[in-house]
Amino acid sequence: MTPYGSRVTNMASETSEGLLITAKSLNKMYGPHLALDDINLEIPPGAIGILGPNGAGKSTFFKCLLGLIKTTSGEGSVLGHDIRTEGDLIRSKIGYMPEYDSLDPGLTAIDQVRYSGELLGMNPDSATQRAHEVLQYVGLKDQRYRKIETFSTGMKQAAKLACALIHDPDILICDEPTNGLDQRAREFMLQTLKKTVSEGGRSVLMSSHVMDDVERVCDRIVMIHKGKIVVHRSIDEMVNQVEKEIEISVWGGASRMEQELTSIGLSVRRMGRNMRVTKVDEETYTNILSSAAKAKVQVRKMTDYEPDLEDIFLLIMDKLGEDVKETDDLITPRYTGEGP
Amino acid sequence: MKNELDISGGTTRMESAFGSGDGDDEATASVAQKAEVKASIYEQTYRPWRGSLGPRWVRNYAIFRHHVYGIFSSKGHRHYHPLVRLTILIVFLFSISPVAMLFLASLGGQGGFGEILSRMWGINRYNLWGQVLGFFPRNLCMWPLLTALVVGGMISDDRRNGTSAIYFSRPVNRTDYTAMKYLSSAVVLGFVIVFSYIVYYTSAIVLNGEGWAFLIDTFPIFMGGLIAGILLVITYTSIGLALSSISQSRFFAAVAFLAVIYGTKMVAFLIESTFDSSILYLLSPYDGLAHIGQWLVGIESNYDHPLSLSIVSILLINFLSLLLLTSRVSSLEVTRE
């Protein structure tokens, strides 16, 4: 009678070997177009960033996870439920925050969130009570009786998050959660997502073009490119794989300094008075200082440069043969599929 | 993971925003004061929820309630514009206006004014048919207007606002979504069209103090009219929802519905006037229903063409509308519209 009646809150007990999502040789074709190509994946609980240019297959991947579209071949499970046959069960345990507007402008925030809870099968009283809680959690306590049509973009994003959190889902899927937000709203959204993982013990699957956002919330990334998973690793692990660099800032004679460093065989990349020198070994620090003495320039700053996720993303794109200098380049007709 | 990309040995980008000069000149720097946080009054705490989720019917009932209750109170439910609600009220009052005439007739007693009113508004085959399908302008104008107002934004609003994602990212499947939208619309239309018909019939019996013999005589006619009313609600809902599902604008859906109802009737009327043939009335949903209604209630038909063609026409109109509706609902996106 009640397919979701007995709620199990211990996530590990629901999943096979404690995994959140598994996929085996998953393929999805739209006519002749291969949208997902042999996806093999095992995602543990936590915060996971789903990266990839537009059209890479992220949305198709999400739709497969939600059990909304039939996969062409292969198998997969979310929280131990088969994505091909148990879509309803999966969606009752997932909170999905869409990228685009998905709120009724004629409703107040409290009514919208309550209704989204009722659509999950919550009774109206408990949905109302929970709507108050989650609206407070996302920072809309004082705006909950305002109509959504009067909301700013940040408030709408927060309301969408509240709708996704209404039933305390095991997995929260966020599609571009910081889209269109100003700095303050963005900070709050990221903090909220991070808190949902760290305090709430929930898992977050987040897609974003802003690498800094992903880096701040997620500990692992899955990168999709042309329907294939090209990277699935923890961010720390990837950072360790990238060549280490030492960043220096010099005053006076930066060109002389660059020549000195190059002449002793060090690889230098320069932007104005800032340079990054590839770290060969511990001797590199001494070599830099010696070169500065010879070139008669002051080294005002010398630090180990920690590559961020954007560096890694661009490096991956470079290795994949894509001419992308920064992630903003991905929002072009070539990648978005818009325009002529 | 097999075939995973090897990124070892790569170098990272240079952050271009970090420095702007060529490095060979002397530079100065200014340091901004860091903003000081004075206090915080907001504490963010994640609270888990230990409740359980209801089964499928609870979710479906939530959709139904959201749309139907909105007619009476927009607080917490789907928002209907006050003018729409006022129009629905006016249409409903017009629909039960014969009850007032019957009341006056009952006050008039036997003979005289009371009898005239009773003959005009009392229960007979023509009045029962007319209550659902016949009276102009009430039924011909008001039912389509009512349908246009109620059904116009039923699905188009979800398409425009992206609220389809709220439904389909939850365990609501497209069949349930369509069925509940259909049921909600049909119940609102049914409340005005069918309920007013039932009120009319029952109040005629009560106010005139009719007995079992009258009831036995007129009940089959009443049932014929009732079926005609239900057919009208079903057909108008099907067409209205199909038009609502193809658009992002409730205005388009409403105007398109009125255009379908009046356009087909107007064309058929002109053809009949010119060529003396009623065959084109098969294109008109209203006339198809009126033809079937006349047969169900047992009154003389106004149409030359066979009844079977009107039945096929109404079935076909409903089938095509539902086909369009289901195909357009299946195109509603969750991730992007």
Side-chain angles (χ1 to χ4, degrees):
Chain A
M1 179 67 180
T2 54
Y4 323 122
S6 53
R7 181 183 169 81
V8 183
T9 48
N10 184 355
M11 210 185 314
S13 65
E14 289 183 0
T15 58
S16 55
E17 302 158 16
L19 292 170
L20 211 61
I21 294 162
T22 61
K24 257 187 212 166
S25 309
L26 203 66
N27 288 293
K28 174 64 192 172
M29 294 187 81
Y30 290 114
H33 174 67
L34 189 57
L36 292 180
D37 185 4
D38 194 28
I39 301 282
N40 289 287
L41 202 60
E42 288 186 343
I43 299 181
I48 300 103
I50 308 288
L51 306 179
N54 280 0
K58 298 194 299 287
S59 294
T60 306
F61 183 58
F62 281 156
K63 281 195 255 188
C64 285
L65 294 184
L66 290 165
L68 290 169
I69 51 172
K70 295 275 178 209
T71 54
T72 308
S73 63
E75 54 191 67
S77 70
V78 176
L79 297 165
H81 300 294
D82 194 327
I83 59 171
R84 294 166 303 178
T85 55
E86 296 178 294
D88 283 4
L89 267 169
I90 291 169
R91 291 196 297 279
S92 71
K93 294 180 177 181
I94 282 181
Y96 179 66
M97 180 186 169
E99 177 185 359
Y100 296 93
D101 269 357
S102 58
L103 303 168
D104 186 341
L107 291 178
T108 60
I110 190 82
D111 290 334
Q112 176 70 79
V113 177
R114 177 186 52 75
Y115 183 50
S116 71
E118 286 178 21
L119 289 175
L120 284 150
M122 294 169 81
N123 75 53
D125 288 343
S126 72
T128 306
Q129 188 185 0
R130 178 69 181 165
H132 284 282
E133 282 178 16
V134 289
L135 281 168
Q136 179 175 14
Y137 180 66
V138 302
L140 289 180
K141 185 187 176 189
D142 296 335
Q143 290 82 21
R144 63 198 148 155
Y145 295 113
R146 267 175 59 182
K147 281 197 173 181
I148 286 169
E149 64 194 358
T150 67
F151 276 15
S152 66
T153 308
M155 288 155 79
K156 282 181 185 167
Q157 290 291 84
K160 283 197 291 185
L161 181 61
C163 288
L165 287 171
I166 179 89
H167 60 306
D168 187 16
D170 292 332
I171 307 176
L172 182 63
I173 297 181
C174 303
D175 207 349
E176 304 277 357
T178 55
N179 219 3
L181 301 189
D182 60 31
Q183 189 57 29
R184 197 172 156 200
R186 177 173 160 256
E187 289 291 327
F188 185 76
M189 175 62 73
L190 295 174
Q191 176 199 317
T192 306
L193 291 175
K194 206 165 172 55
K195 198 163 258 199
T196 307
V197 178
S198 60
E199 281 186 13
R202 309 290 111 178
S203 293
V204 170
L205 243 70
M206 169 180 166
S207 82
S208 179
H209 279 124
V210 186
M211 297 302 136
D212 188 39
D213 293 355
V214 175
E215 195 171 9
R216 287 181 54 188
V217 175
C218 305
D219 39 29
R220 302 180 71 79
I221 64 157
V222 171
M223 188 168 165
I224 304 177
H225 186 255
K226 292 180 179 169
K228 281 180 181 288
I229 303 278
V230 288
V231 171
H232 172 214
R233 243 171 286 173
S234 76
I235 294 173
D236 290 344
E237 200 181 323
M238 284 193 297
V239 166
N240 288 333
Q241 277 197 300
V242 178
E243 268 187 356
K244 296 287 176 293
E245 289 178 307
I246 300 165
E247 188 167 278
I248 58 172
S249 181
V250 296
W251 278 45
S255 299
R256 287 200 306 276
M257 178 69 175
E258 187 182 7
Q259 283 168 7
E260 277 296 332
L261 289 168
T262 313
S263 67
I264 59 169
L266 289 173
S267 169
V268 182
R269 293 187 302 137
R270 178 184 163 200
M271 182 63 70
R273 65 177 64 89
N274 301 300
M275 296 175 203
R276 287 206 196 129
V277 184
T278 304
K279 183 179 168 185
V280 181
D281 51 30
E282 291 303 315
E283 281 298 304
T284 311
Y285 299 106
T286 317
N287 291 339
I288 289 170
L289 292 174
S290 307
S291 301
K294 280 185 196 164
K296 294 187 169 47
V297 299
Q298 295 177 17
V299 176
R300 289 293 180 93
K301 180 184 148 195
M302 182 161 70
T303 53
D304 286 331
Y305 178 72
E306 292 291 334
D308 61 15
L309 191 58
E310 175 129 358
D311 289 318
I312 294 166
F313 181 82
L314 295 174
L315 170 62
I316 292 166
M317 294 304 285
D318 186 46
K319 291 233 167 192
L320 290 167
E322 297 285 342
D323 185 23
V324 180
K325 300 292 179 208
E326 54 184 340
T327 43
D328 282 352
D329 288 354
L330 295 174
I331 312 169
T332 57
R334 181 182 168 197
Y335 290 97
T336 58
E338 294 159 0
Chain B
M1 197 185 70
K2 64 178 182 179
N3 299 328
E4 198 171 302
L5 188 78
D6 179 21
I7 61 162
S8 56
T11 50
T12 60
R13 84 203 144 103
M14 175 70 85
E15 212 170 63
S16 59
F18 197 81
S20 56
D22 61 5
D24 291 325
D25 55 339
E26 290 298 316
T28 57
S30 61
V31 180
Q33 294 298 311
K34 195 179 176 184
E36 190 183 345
V37 177
K38 296 285 183 192
S40 173
I41 56 167
Y42 172 68
E43 190 184 353
Q44 190 179 33
T45 314
Y46 188 86
R47 290 186 192 171
W49 181 69
R50 302 290 179 204
S52 59
L53 300 176
R56 185 178 179 181
W57 73 264
V58 175
R59 302 192 295 267
N60 290 347
Y61 180 58
I63 302 174
F64 175 77
R65 192 178 52 222
H66 181 70
H67 291 89
V68 174
Y69 282 18
I71 295 283
F72 304 102
S73 162
S74 59
K75 192 172 166 57
H77 305 288
R78 181 175 188 254
H79 178 73
Y80 291 89
H81 195 278
L83 280 178
V84 170
R85 285 153 68 182
L86 185 66
T87 309
I88 293 170
L89 179 67
I90 291 169
V91 171
F92 180 69
L93 290 177
F94 265 97
S95 305
I96 57 167
S97 59
V99 176
M101 306 310 285
L102 286 170
F103 180 69
L104 284 176
S106 70
L107 294 178
Q110 296 294 320
F113 185 62
E115 198 168 318
I116 294 168
L117 281 179
S118 191
R119 270 209 303 275
M120 282 180 70
W121 300 100
I123 298 292
N124 59 50
R125 288 178 194 274
Y126 286 94
N127 280 353
L128 284 174
W129 178 79
Q131 175 70 20
V132 183
L133 287 154
F135 297 140
F136 183 86
R138 197 185 70 201
N139 299 8
L140 184 55
C141 290
M142 287 191 175
W143 293 168
L145 180 66
L146 174 76
T147 311
L149 291 175
V150 171
V151 184
M154 222 18 118
I155 294 175
S156 58
D157 281 357
D158 285 337
R159 209 177 263 285
R160 189 188 56 201
N161 300 326
T163 34
S164 53
I166 289 281
Y167 290 96
F168 301 133
S169 62
R170 281 157 176 74
V172 175
N173 62 42
R174 286 164 202 268
T175 309
D176 288 355
Y177 168 85
T178 314
M180 287 303 112
K181 291 269 182 180
Y182 194 98
L183 192 63
S184 309
S185 313
V187 162
V188 175
L189 295 186
F191 177 75
V192 178
I193 298 171
V194 178
F195 181 68
S196 66
Y197 174 75
I198 295 169
V199 167
Y200 166 64
Y201 179 70
T202 49
S203 56
I205 291 169
V206 172
L207 292 169
N208 290 333
E210 304 288 3
W212 285 106
F214 178 86
L215 193 65
I216 290 165
D217 278 350
T218 57
F219 192 72
I221 310 169
F222 164 74
M223 285 305 292
L226 186 71
I227 294 168
I230 292 169
L231 275 177
L232 178 85
V233 168
I234 289 172
T235 307
Y236 278 16
T237 307
S238 301
I239 300 169
L241 272 185
L243 293 168
S244 181
S245 69
I246 60 172
S247 164
Q248 289 196 359
S249 157
R250 58 167 65 179
F251 181 75
F252 167 83
V255 170
F257 178 78
L258 294 175
V260 166
I261 299 295
Y262 296 129
T264 51
K265 184 163 179 61
M266 187 60 70
V267 169
F269 173 73
L270 291 173
I271 295 295
E272 189 189 28
S273 308
T274 314
F275 301 106
D276 201 22
S277 167
S278 71
I279 194 72
L280 231 61
Y281 279 117
L282 289 175
L283 294 176
S284 164
Y286 169 80
D287 288 289
L289 289 162
H291 197 182
I292 295 168
Q294 286 167 347
W295 171 67
L296 285 168
V297 176
I299 59 176
E300 198 181 332
S301 171
N302 296 337
Y303 305 94
D304 302 333
H305 58 268
L307 171 72
S308 54
L309 288 182
S310 287
I311 294 174
V312 170
S313 162
I314 289 299
L315 287 175
L316 206 60
I317 287 169
N318 274 289
F319 174 74
L320 291 175
S321 300
L322 292 176
L323 195 67
L324 182 63
L325 173 64
T326 49
S327 93
R328 293 311 296 156
V329 167
S330 64
S331 78
L332 284 170
E333 280 285 5
V334 173
T335 49
R336 191 171 297 140
E337 179 64 34

